[in-house]
Amino acid sequence: MSLLEFDEVDKYFGETHVLKDVDLDVEEGEVCVVIGPSGSGKSTLLRCANRLEEIQGGEIRLEGQSISAEDADINRLRQRIGMVFQSFNLFPHKTARENVTLAPTKVKGLKEGDATRRADELLDRVGLGAQSDSYPNQLSGGQQQRVAIARALAMDPHVMLFDEVTSALDPELVGEVLDVMHDLADEGMTMLVVTHEMGFAREVGDRIVLMADGRVVEDSPPEVFFENPKTDRGKQFLSKLL
Amino acid sequence: MAESYSEGRTGDGEYQEQFLNDKTLRRLGAAIAGLFTLGVGGFIAAIIFTQVDFELLVEIIHPQFVNAFLRVLGIVLVGSLFSVTAGVFVGLGRVSNTRFTNTVATAYVEFFRGTPLLFQLLVIYVGIPAFWPPGQFPISNWAIPTAIIGLTLNHAAYVGEAVRGGIDAVPEGQMEAARSLGMSYVQGMREVVLPQAWRNALAAIGNDQVILVKDTSLLTVIAIPELISAFRNVNSTTFDPWTPILLVAIAYLMITIPLGKIVSYLEARSDWGGDRR
């Protein structure tokens, strides 16, 4: 049993068929990087993984439990799935520390003191120990995104989903976010990462999944994908990168 | 048409003195504001020194005007509390994805915003007791409950629309972030969306509550001795218009001006690190 399993997943937006029969298993401790042209369904795949989008066919399972079933206890399942968004989505009315403590106290019932201690620990880990009392609009994009990562980690997720988390950042701020993700991967976090950062994909990814037109068209280790892709779509995609 | 952009410009690219340049405009504005202040100030001074009867003023201020003022203030405080609270729920109903809830909330807003408050007051004041046999209606002073119910129902519709707008202005990603952390819809609304929606809606809610204060003047038709009836009382016995008018104006402003300050204070308090929007 894999940690996160997509089993013949079909997803429609109205008439548009955005995910076509997608099969994908993410193993524990694996960093699975999803790449592909825009509109290929990468982000949708990620959003289906914690049911921000409903699927119309197939099944998605986390540690054997269905996420997509009608009667799934989604609030409980989501606690095990951390998500980081392209647009950060920090809570602007809360300080960095409060952003991190909110869900642990409200959802897990953690005591304020324990949650705060844990939040400070996590903010330290992402290099923002000194900014814990700042509000999101007092932080740079890179700092906000690192707070968002700390916020997701505070729920002790079993898998982390990263949805183009550096796409909204100024180029000079991308590195600090990727560094945090790199550290997380080194610590053995299971990660499903949608990104356009090929350097990161190559260096940190255990697997490269190429999507096109709502299908997984190639699934290879990075050294294979970037040196000698197995499929024509893979070759085509790489040729457009340079 | 292209020439119109270069009007006031000589061939050398130098600017000609225009009829209305920035400096002239600023002076003109200040002059108009000055004249206005002088006019209004003079008018008020003229009223106070030539029209207001200070002996009468002292005589009517207590207990009549003080009582009317306190009565209005009490109705405003209760009506505000109720209408804002109810309005939040109307707003939540308006953004509900459940069609039934949404339809009911929309119909509510359409009715209470679409008919005059005066009409609504009459429905409650005259209509409700008619369900009982004549003289059997159990509530003896029905006017005050009518006022509270009417103002609450009416203004909850307006507050509800302000809250709906406030919620709509919160980016969808906020609820998504809350849900992705395992929070329920209710938790996401309460902890994440509503505090931001409240901030967005504050100005509009404050605006509506000022109108609620002034709407108490309609209560004169259901025989509540409020400020307008106090005016009519004095005016009909003494034939002095300006003395009671002055008191009425002061009384309303004593409620509406602090109300504005409270709204500004609440806005400043939810600044969240400043520089917002």
Side-chain angles (χ1 to χ4, degrees), chain B residues 39-242:
Chain B
V40 173
F43 185 57
I44 293 174
I47 289 165
I48 289 175
F49 289 116
T50 66
Q51 301 293 321
V52 174
D53 177 347
F54 285 91
E55 266 170 47
L56 177 66
L57 188 122
V58 172
E59 190 185 312
I60 59 175
I61 201 164
H62 188 77
Q64 193 167 14
F65 268 87
V66 171
N67 284 352
F69 172 79
L70 291 176
R71 195 168 289 118
V72 167
L73 186 65
I75 291 170
V76 163
L77 288 177
V78 179
S80 268
L81 185 72
F82 285 4
S83 65
V84 172
T85 310
V88 171
F89 289 97
V90 173
L92 285 170
R94 291 279 280 129
V95 299
S96 168
N97 286 328
T98 312
R99 182 177 292 199
F100 177 70
T101 315
N102 194 305
T103 309
V104 171
T106 307
Y108 176 88
V109 169
E110 295 297 354
F111 179 79
F112 283 99
R113 208 178 47 173
T115 57
L117 174 58
L118 186 53
F119 161 78
Q120 292 159 18
L121 288 170
L122 290 177
V123 168
I124 300 166
Y125 189 60
V126 186
I128 300 293
F131 286 111
W132 278 261
Q136 301 278 296
F137 189 63
I139 301 167
S140 55
N141 185 0
W142 181 233
I144 294 288
T146 297
I148 302 286
I149 295 167
L151 288 169
T152 298
L153 291 178
N154 183 270
H155 284 273
Y158 289 96
V159 173
E161 282 303 276
V163 169
R164 179 189 60 80
I167 291 173
D168 284 346
V170 177
E172 249 173 74
Q174 290 292 310
M175 182 55 106
E176 285 185 353
R179 296 306 304 270
S180 75
L181 289 163
M183 295 165 90
S184 64
Y185 177 83
V186 173
Q187 284 175 321
M189 264 294 166
R190 193 175 55 210
E191 304 292 338
V192 175
V193 176
L194 277 181
Q196 297 177 56
W198 175 252
R199 169 65 177 75
N200 296 338
L202 255 178
I205 293 174
N207 216 358
D208 171 70
Q209 295 302 299
V210 168
I211 296 174
L212 183 147
V213 173
K214 299 183 293 180
D215 277 351
T216 58
S217 59
L218 294 173
L219 302 176
T220 187
V221 301
I222 57 169
I224 290 179
E226 46 70 66
L227 293 159
I228 300 296
S229 14
F231 162 81
R232 288 207 296 209
N233 239 336
V234 173
N235 179 247
S236 60
T237 48
T238 64
F239 302 107
D240 179 335
W242 284 106

Side-chain angles (χ1 to χ4, degrees), chain A residues 47 75 78 90 93 106 137, chain B residues 174 176 179 187 191 274:
Chain A
R47 290 167 59 81
N75 293 337
R78 277 181 181 142
L90 286 185
H93 60 303
K106 299 295 170 189
N137 64 18
Chain B
Q174 290 292 310
E176 285 185 353
R179 296 306 304 270
Q187 284 175 321
E191 304 292 338

Side-chain angles (χ1 to χ4, degrees), chain A residues 67-95:
Chain A
I67 290 171
S68 50
E70 190 104 13
D71 59 349
D73 185 353
I74 194 63
N75 293 337
R76 191 164 281 274
L77 284 164
R78 277 181 181 142
Q79 294 176 34
R80 284 187 256 153
I81 310 171
M83 179 139 185
V84 186
F85 300 86
Q86 179 177 351
S87 50
F88 328 138
N89 295 346
L90 286 185
F91 307 137
H93 60 303
K94 299 199 172 286
T95 62

